[in-house]
């Protein structure tokens, strides 16, 4: 008998030997500043819970009330019987919040890219994609069958050169970029990218997963940050990060969003988001529209943490956002650093190849509004102790 599963064993052995095997930690508490991780209570710098909404009382109340009123699931896709009044209300509120004509709420940010790209471009078309774009953009682009041309990271001049070289060979072009790049915390130069795209009549799309609830006035996102309302074609986002719930949003011009409702396969063939999640997202919009305090606290915490880390002598890379990479270089060192931090009561993940290039391994710190100043000081003390112990500072 041939061993049909031998390829799995070989691949798994390879992953184990090159230190790339993923081990799942089990959370024993809600996402918050402090969490129980594998049975140990630690200070958390790993979740994307930027505003501390994942365990916010108003959010939980809204979700519980929606379960009572609407049940636990819609039991249908949006285009048959799954569009509940809650979905319509959330889409109206998200569009108003973001200052766009229309918004579509889908199952996740990952799904949003699968939904938004394929209706706009097909095999006669070309996508211009930033070298460091997120996996969900890459997969969404592949699903569309369009030709994918990669331009250098955050480089409008290279984008222009690539458009000049390739656009004449295709029917239509679409430029897609992450808004905030999640491994470095840098921001795409959206205004400059858009100016280039406009010069050649190329459609524009940004995936603002890490900017939603973070960038712009009161967390209105990257298009607001650059003041490009109504000019930018499509803004994809997630409600699974700063919004603290789960879901994705596709926001922009009404003609485009309406068209995506007709064409997007995840919208037509996968069931709608649950009432609890939808209602919690509505509560998040209420909180964000009601006060900018959480967004302000998030940026204040991030600036404090980054500044103190730099004073300690750490290299915090190119970060312009609450994502603060602590650059260490060697992947083994980054792993050891993360382990020692955990022993000191701090949960911060090391990130190495292939998520980031070889030789650029790091610890990634996700700042949030949920952290108190005392939490940050405790985290900084742990970084200082481990940094000295390992000869980094
Ligand atoms: C996290 C992320 C996603 C996925 O969002 P989910 O709602 O978790 O599916 C998509 N795009 C980018 C750029 C992200 O950072």
């Amino acid at each position: 008998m041939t061993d049909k599963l031998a390829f799995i064993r070989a691949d798994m052995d390879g992953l184990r030997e090159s230190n790339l095997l993923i081990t799942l930690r089990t959370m024993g508490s809600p996402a918050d500043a402090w969490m129980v991780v594998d049975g140990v209570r630690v200070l958390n710098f790993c979740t994307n819970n930027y505003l501390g909404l994942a365990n916010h009382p108003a959010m939980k109340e809204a979700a519980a009330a929606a379960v009572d009123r609407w049940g636990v699931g819609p039991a249908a896709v949006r285009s048959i019987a799954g569009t509940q009044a809650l979905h319509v209300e959330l889409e109206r509120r998200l569009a108003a919040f973001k200052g766009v004509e229309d918004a579509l709420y889908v199952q996740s940010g990952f799904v949003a890219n699968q939904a938004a790209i394929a209706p706009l471009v097909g095999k006669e078309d070309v996508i211009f994609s930033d070298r460091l774009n997120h996996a969900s953009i890459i997969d969404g682009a592949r699903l569309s069958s369009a030709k994918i041309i990669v331009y250098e990271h955050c480089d409008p001049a290279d984008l222009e050169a690539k458009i000049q070289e390739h656009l004449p060979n295709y029917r239509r072009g679409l430029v897609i970029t992450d808004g905030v790049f999640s491994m470095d915390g840098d921001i795409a130069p959206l205004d400059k990218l858009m100016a280039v795209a406009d010069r050649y009549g190329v459609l524009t799309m940004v995936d603002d997963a890490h900017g939603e609830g973070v960038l712009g006035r009161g967390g209105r996102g990257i298009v607001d940050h650059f003041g490009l309302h109504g000019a930018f074609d499509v803004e994809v986002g997630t409600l699974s990060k700063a919004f603290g719930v789960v879901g994705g949003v596709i926001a922009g011009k009404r003609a485009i969003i309406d068209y995506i409702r007709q064409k997007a396969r995840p919208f037509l063939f996968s069931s709608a988001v649950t009432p609890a999640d939808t209602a919690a997202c509505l509560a998040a919009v209420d909180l964000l529209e009601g006060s900018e305090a959480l967004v302000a606290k998030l940026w204040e915490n991030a600036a404090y943490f980054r500044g103190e880390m730099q004073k300690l002598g750490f290299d915090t890379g190119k970060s312009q956002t609450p994502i603060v990479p602590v650059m260490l270089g060697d992947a083994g060192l980054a792993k050891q650093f993360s382990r020692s931090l955990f022993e000191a009561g701090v949960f911060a993940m090391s990130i190495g190849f292939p998520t980031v290039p070889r030789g650029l391994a790091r610890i990634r710190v996700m700042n949030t509004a949920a952290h108190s100043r005392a939490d940050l000081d405790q985290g900084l003390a742990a970084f200082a102790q481990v940094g000295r112990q390992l000869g980094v500072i």
Side-chain angles (χ1 to χ4, degrees), residues 91-106:
E91 289 173 346
R92 193 181 62 74
R93 292 287 305 279
L94 283 172
F97 176 66
K98 297 180 69 64
V100 292
E101 289 176 2
D102 203 356
L104 178 62
Y105 178 46
V106 296

Side-chain angles (χ1 to χ4, degrees), residues 48 107-111 113 133-137 178-180 182 207-210 236-241 246-248:
N48 305 312
Q107 298 90 338
S108 74
F110 197 101
V111 165
N113 281 315
N133 271 350
H134 189 258
S136 61
I137 300 178
D178 265 38
V180 175
S182 60
D207 177 349
D208 198 30
H210 284 276
V236 165
T238 182
L239 304 166
S240 327
K241 287 175 177 145
V246 74

Side-chain angles (χ1 to χ4, degrees), residues 363-387:
I363 301 278
R364 187 178 64 155
V365 173
M366 306 301 290
N367 284 285
T368 77
H371 293 107
S372 67
R373 182 55 66 89
D375 291 339
L376 296 182
D377 285 336
Q378 194 169 331
L380 288 161
F383 267 96
Q385 177 205 318
V386 173

